[in-house]
Amino acid sequence: MTYKDEYIASTQHPDEFWLEQAQKLAWFQPPQKGCQPTDNGYFDWFRGGQLNTSYLALDHHVKNGRGDKTALIYDSPVTQTTQHFTYKELLNRVAEFAGGLSRLGVTKGDRVIIYMPMIPQAVIAMLACARLGAVHSVVFGGFAANELAVRIDDAKPVVIVTASCGIEGNKVLPYKPLVDEAISLAEHKPQACVLYQRPQLIAELNEATDHDWLSLVEASVPASPVAVDATDPLYVLYTSGTTGKPKGVVRDNGGHAVALHYSMGAIYGISEDDIFWAASDVGWVVGHSYIVYGPLIKGATTVLYEGKPIGTPDAGAFWRMIESHKVNVLFAAPTAFRAIRKADPDAEFLSKYNTSSLRTLFMAGERLDPPTYFWASEKVGVPVIDHWWQTETGWPICSNPMGLEPMATKPGSSSVPTPGFNVKVLQGADEQQITGEKGAIAIKLPLPPGCLTTIWQDHQRFVDGYLREFEGYYSTGDNGYVDEDGYVFIMGRTDDVINVAGHRLSTGEMEEVLAGHPAIAECSVIGIHDALKGQLPVGLVLLKDGVTVDEQALEQDLVQRVRDKIGPVACFKRAIVVNRLPKTRSGKILRKLLRQIAANESVAVPSTIDDPSSVSEIETLMREKGLVNKPTAV
Ligand code: COA
Ligand code: AMP
């Protein structure tokens, strides 16, 4: 089938198309139905089907005689460790740890928070939850205790799984004090905490509530996979929205397995014999889908890398990884390649390694800017594919379908809609579809399998946030355009979400933190262009009347607050005192206008503005402070 045939089949006859894909998996009870309406007015996939995701990812392959094949390669330059796990070994570890969780009382439907560095135990913990039908929620290690506490209160986990430390470059970061602080901040108190001791730092355990991973496993019996409904949740993954409260994206078991299995072949062109490396973190959706579940459900080999693109030890790190593990397909963020290019513009390190195993380089997390695209294409010498997706969709909405029919690449575009995603560019309340012009990007319902089914414990937020803007469509929150060949160009967010080093962050959440400072009356946080990280947050703060401060000391104070409340991952390093913020007559800060000034775009001053002179005033200040993007040659 060509891409076009497959795309038409998937969007015109979705039930038939996805039921056929579903047949490729080892269900306990195969589904008879595809997409069906639900009582809450939405829809679900494969209701009636029963399966277990860890069974699909592990037991199924062992049963089929592939137990001695390598499932997981762990490579950690920061600890000088490499470890290989066959499918049989990984299955044993997962079954044992699932037994441990079960001993602590975890059963189907219970939540387990996983706050772990990039070590095999993180993957084992995720699959162990899946084995029991428990719902995991992995929290990225770069988030502060407060963020963890917010997630504890929302997910209400029975158990938290953690490690004694993370290792970032040459820093050893203790995790246990952070977890303890989060638990003390949270209203909900988990029953137990399981901790994996790393030799780099031994944490002290509280006898009443804490369990050492290895001792727990020793005292437990391995657990068998529990049959769950296709529609039962596999995980909740929190992502930034426009408010301070993160959104718990809920992923089901059945649709997720079918979609990921399909994508491994159709998009990434991966077969069972391939080695796939997603250079992300298990705390992000890319890590969930393409470090853990996708490659393992496919029966391929996945790579878990505890290191950085540069500095561990140098800008040749990615090339060394490709050579050492014979990586066939690499998935990375453009920011990682910008970092490599900055450190080694002529890619001198590349010539020291044999990277001939590499077939394709996929990029996502942010738009692949053309200069990085051209540099990577020229230096690496393989097709470089930009593809667009979100935590919510769990797999790519647009991509060059390399496994179906490789297409010509257009720099700046994430290519064409993936089979299953009926992508439209809409403008205005009349939902007019437009070609060639910029508008809001929406996906016609139903979404294909694998996408979010709701927001954890808040279906109304799901409806209001995604389904209200355009009747019958899912609003992606991104804008862009489709050209005459059907290629999609994603140009940025329509909301206050920013993208820092491929990480999605909420400016609204940072504003809440800044507004908590006693000297601050009002503030706005905007993303400004950064050559390495894509965007960086900057706070524009207005002091309370009569308050005088040392601006530098205030900035340091605010930087520390964001670090403490959100975490170092926010990369919040600048705050500027302003005399006025442009507002509407009703007192709303004109954030979009600030974003337009920062992006050096033509500014649309709304008629509702309170004082038009505030615009030129803030623009002058932002230029003086270097906050306005300078046009760069492409
Ligand atoms: N645990 C604890 N802290 C973490 C962390 C983790 N898992 N990940 C990041 N941090 C901290 C870092 O130590 C740093 O702290 P600092 O301010 O004390 O130095 C801060 O968060 C910012 O980290 P990072 O964004 O990694 O910036 P960097 O300057 O250290 O590295 C890059 C720059 C470009 C090399 C790095 O951002 C990178 O590798 N980006 C790729 C990200 C990626 O793969 N995203 C894909 C998502 S699909
Ligand atoms: P996340 O949910 O963290 O994966 O972030 C999703 C958001 O990142 C999207 O809504 C986009 O704004 C942005 N994004 C991810 N991949 C791309 C891409 N290939 N091109 C443009 N934007 C992207």
Side-chain angles (χ1 to χ4, degrees):
M1 276 240 252
T2 62
Y3 158 73
K4 204 170 168 196
D5 294 334
E6 189 124 334
Y7 185 74
I8 290 172
S10 70
T11 44
Q12 293 190 356
H13 307 286
D15 281 354
E16 222 170 278
F17 180 85
W18 289 112
L19 278 168
E20 197 183 316
Q21 296 304 327
Q23 279 171 21
K24 298 176 185 167
L25 298 182
W27 296 78
F28 296 156
Q29 173 72 49
Q32 305 302 321
K33 297 218 165 121
C35 184
Q36 294 172 82
T38 51
D39 293 343
N40 62 16
Y42 195 55
F43 58 84
D44 59 20
W45 280 95
F46 309 125
R47 200 183 320 147
Q50 288 212 318
L51 74 166
N52 179 281
T53 300
S54 107
Y55 177 90
L56 293 182
L58 301 168
D59 309 53
H60 172 66
H61 306 305
V62 174
K63 280 198 172 158
N64 280 299
R66 305 182 71 247
D68 293 328
K69 187 198 149 73
T70 304
L72 176 75
I73 300 171
Y74 165 58
D75 187 306
S76 166
V78 293
T79 60
Q80 306 274 318
T81 317
T82 307
Q83 249 180 310
H84 287 231
F85 297 80
T86 63
Y87 270 96
K88 217 188 282 170
E89 284 162 349
L90 192 59
L91 168 58
N92 289 341
R93 300 283 187 100
V94 168
E96 284 165 6
F97 190 62
L101 289 177
S102 172
R103 189 181 161 83
L104 297 178
V106 175
T107 58
K108 185 175 159 186
D110 286 344
R111 272 82 56 215
V112 174
I113 281 193
I114 300 172
Y115 186 75
M116 300 279 270
M118 287 284 285
I119 56 176
Q121 287 68 27
V123 178
I124 292 168
M126 290 165 78
L127 289 162
C129 290
R131 197 164 190 80
L132 298 175
V135 180
H136 63 67
S137 186
V138 184
V139 179
F140 177 62
F143 282 122
N146 181 61
E147 287 288 318
L148 184 54
V150 169
R151 286 154 175 80
I152 292 173
D153 276 336
D154 199 63
K156 301 196 172 34
V158 176
V159 169
I160 297 192
V161 183
T162 189
S164 54
C165 63
I167 303 170
E168 272 284 291
N170 50 18
K171 293 178 285 187
V172 173
L173 305 171
Y175 273 29
K176 184 66 173 37
L178 233 139
V179 171
D180 288 344
E181 190 189 339
I183 295 174
S184 74
L185 287 171
E187 274 176 35
H188 172 82
K189 307 293 175 197
Q191 286 166 27
C193 174
V194 183
L195 184 137
Y196 183 79
Q197 297 280 17
R198 303 187 76 185
Q200 291 75 16
L201 183 84
I202 300 298
E204 219 174 286
L205 299 186
N206 173 340
E207 267 184 33
T209 51
D210 298 342
H211 299 262
D212 169 62
W213 176 299
L214 295 178
S215 317
L216 175 70
V217 162
E218 246 168 57
S220 313
V221 281
S224 302
V226 170
V228 298
D229 289 334
T231 52
D232 280 338
L234 170 68
Y235 69 77
V236 176
L237 179 58
Y238 289 88
T239 189
S240 301
T242 45
T243 67
K245 191 168 184 259
K247 299 189 270 199
V249 163
V250 178
R251 193 91 58 214
D252 62 1
N253 274 273
H256 173 253
V258 173
L260 290 191
H261 184 262
Y262 173 74
S263 70
M264 289 309 296
I267 295 177
Y268 299 104
I270 286 289
S271 76
E272 289 183 344
D273 299 324
D274 285 328
I275 295 166
F276 187 83
W277 174 29
S280 178
D281 187 289
V282 288
W284 305 115
V285 66
V286 175
H288 282 60
S289 295
Y290 294 116
I291 295 176
V292 183
Y293 291 111
L296 296 179
I297 290 172
K298 184 72 188 174
T301 300
T302 189
V303 179
L304 182 76
Y305 175 62
E306 189 181 26
K308 298 256 176 183
I310 53 169
T312 56
D314 52 40
F318 274 24
W319 322 132
R320 176 195 67 79
M321 285 289 292
I322 295 168
E323 177 183 282
S324 300
H325 306 302
K326 301 203 169 30
V327 171
N328 302 117
V329 173
L330 167 60
F331 178 160
T335 188
F337 272 77
R338 287 197 297 270
I340 297 170
R341 179 186 176 197
K342 192 163 169 238
D344 181 19
D346 298 323
E348 283 171 14
F349 278 106
L350 186 54
S351 58
K352 299 185 181 154
Y353 298 95
N354 176 356
T355 56
S356 59
S357 60
L358 192 71
R359 291 198 301 264
T360 325
L361 170 56
F362 284 86
M363 303 260 204
E366 59 182 307
R367 177 170 178 259
L368 174 56
D369 52 293
T372 307
Y373 165 79
F374 286 119
W375 185 84
S377 304
E378 184 203 321
K379 302 295 181 203
V380 189
V382 299
V384 177
I385 310 297
D386 184 11
H387 62 330
W388 166 57
W389 51 303
Q390 324 183 298
T391 305
E392 288 85 344
T393 62
W395 64 294
I397 309 165
C398 284
S399 181
N400 196 326
M402 294 303 283
L404 272 179
E405 183 191 352
M407 297 176 137
T409 297
K410 294 195 186 190
S413 167
S414 49
S415 299
V416 292
T418 306
F421 288 98
N422 196 345
V423 176
K424 303 280 177 209
V425 180
L426 305 177
Q427 230 176 27
D430 54 353
E431 297 166 20
Q432 204 188 334
Q433 290 177 30
I434 45 175
T435 300
E437 270 178 65
K438 212 163 132 180
I441 306 206
I443 304 166
K444 198 163 177 26
L445 297 175
L447 294 175
C451 298
L452 82 170
T453 53
T454 187
I455 295 295
W456 181 253
Q457 304 292 7
D458 198 350
H459 190 69
Q460 197 53 45
R461 192 172 179 196
F462 171 64
V463 173
D464 293 344
Y466 299 100
L467 308 181
R468 278 239 188 284
E469 191 181 3
F470 302 109
E471 180 78 31
Y473 291 85
Y474 162 87
S475 298
T476 65
D478 282 308
N479 65 20
Y481 64 95
V482 179
D483 75 3
E484 62 289 352
D485 298 323
Y487 278 60
V488 179
F489 290 75
I490 303 297
M491 304 310 291
R493 297 283 306 184
T494 55
D495 55 16
D496 295 322
V497 165
I498 58 170
N499 199 312
V500 179
H503 306 143
R504 173 168 157 184
L505 297 163
S506 159
T507 53
E509 192 173 1
M510 292 186 223
E511 286 172 6
E512 283 180 24
V513 175
L514 302 191
H517 190 284
I520 290 180
E522 274 181 301
C523 64
S524 180
V525 173
I526 53 168
I528 62 159
H529 174 76
D530 179 73
L532 174 64
K533 297 195 175 178
Q535 281 188 297
L536 281 178
V538 173
L540 305 174
V541 302
L542 192 70
L543 301 181
K544 283 182 182 158
D545 283 348
V547 172
T548 50
V549 291
D550 171 344
E551 293 189 13
Q552 253 182 347
L554 176 71
E555 184 175 49
Q556 274 173 17
D557 213 2
L558 295 174
V559 166
Q560 195 56 45
R561 269 177 178 252
V562 175
R563 239 182 129 78
D564 292 345
K565 291 274 181 203
I566 298 177
V569 66
C571 293
F572 183 86
K573 302 244 159 82
R574 288 191 77 184
I576 314 284
V577 175
V578 299
N579 291 327
R580 281 191 297 172
L581 284 165
K583 286 186 185 173
T584 60
R585 281 190 285 276
S586 60
K588 219 171 143 224
I589 298 172
L590 289 162
R591 290 180 169 77
K592 188 170 171 197
L593 187 145
L594 293 170
R595 286 202 301 266
Q596 285 170 333
I597 295 175
N600 213 1
E601 288 172 1
S602 61
V603 175
V605 181
S607 58
T608 53
I609 192 159
D610 183 37
D611 179 358
S613 69
S614 62
V615 178
S616 53
E617 186 183 308
I618 196 92
E619 185 169 353
T620 307
L621 181 72
M622 285 170 69
R623 282 193 191 279
E624 268 172 29
K625 300 279 183 187
L627 303 184
V628 176
N629 184 19
K630 295 186 190 66
T632 46
V634 170

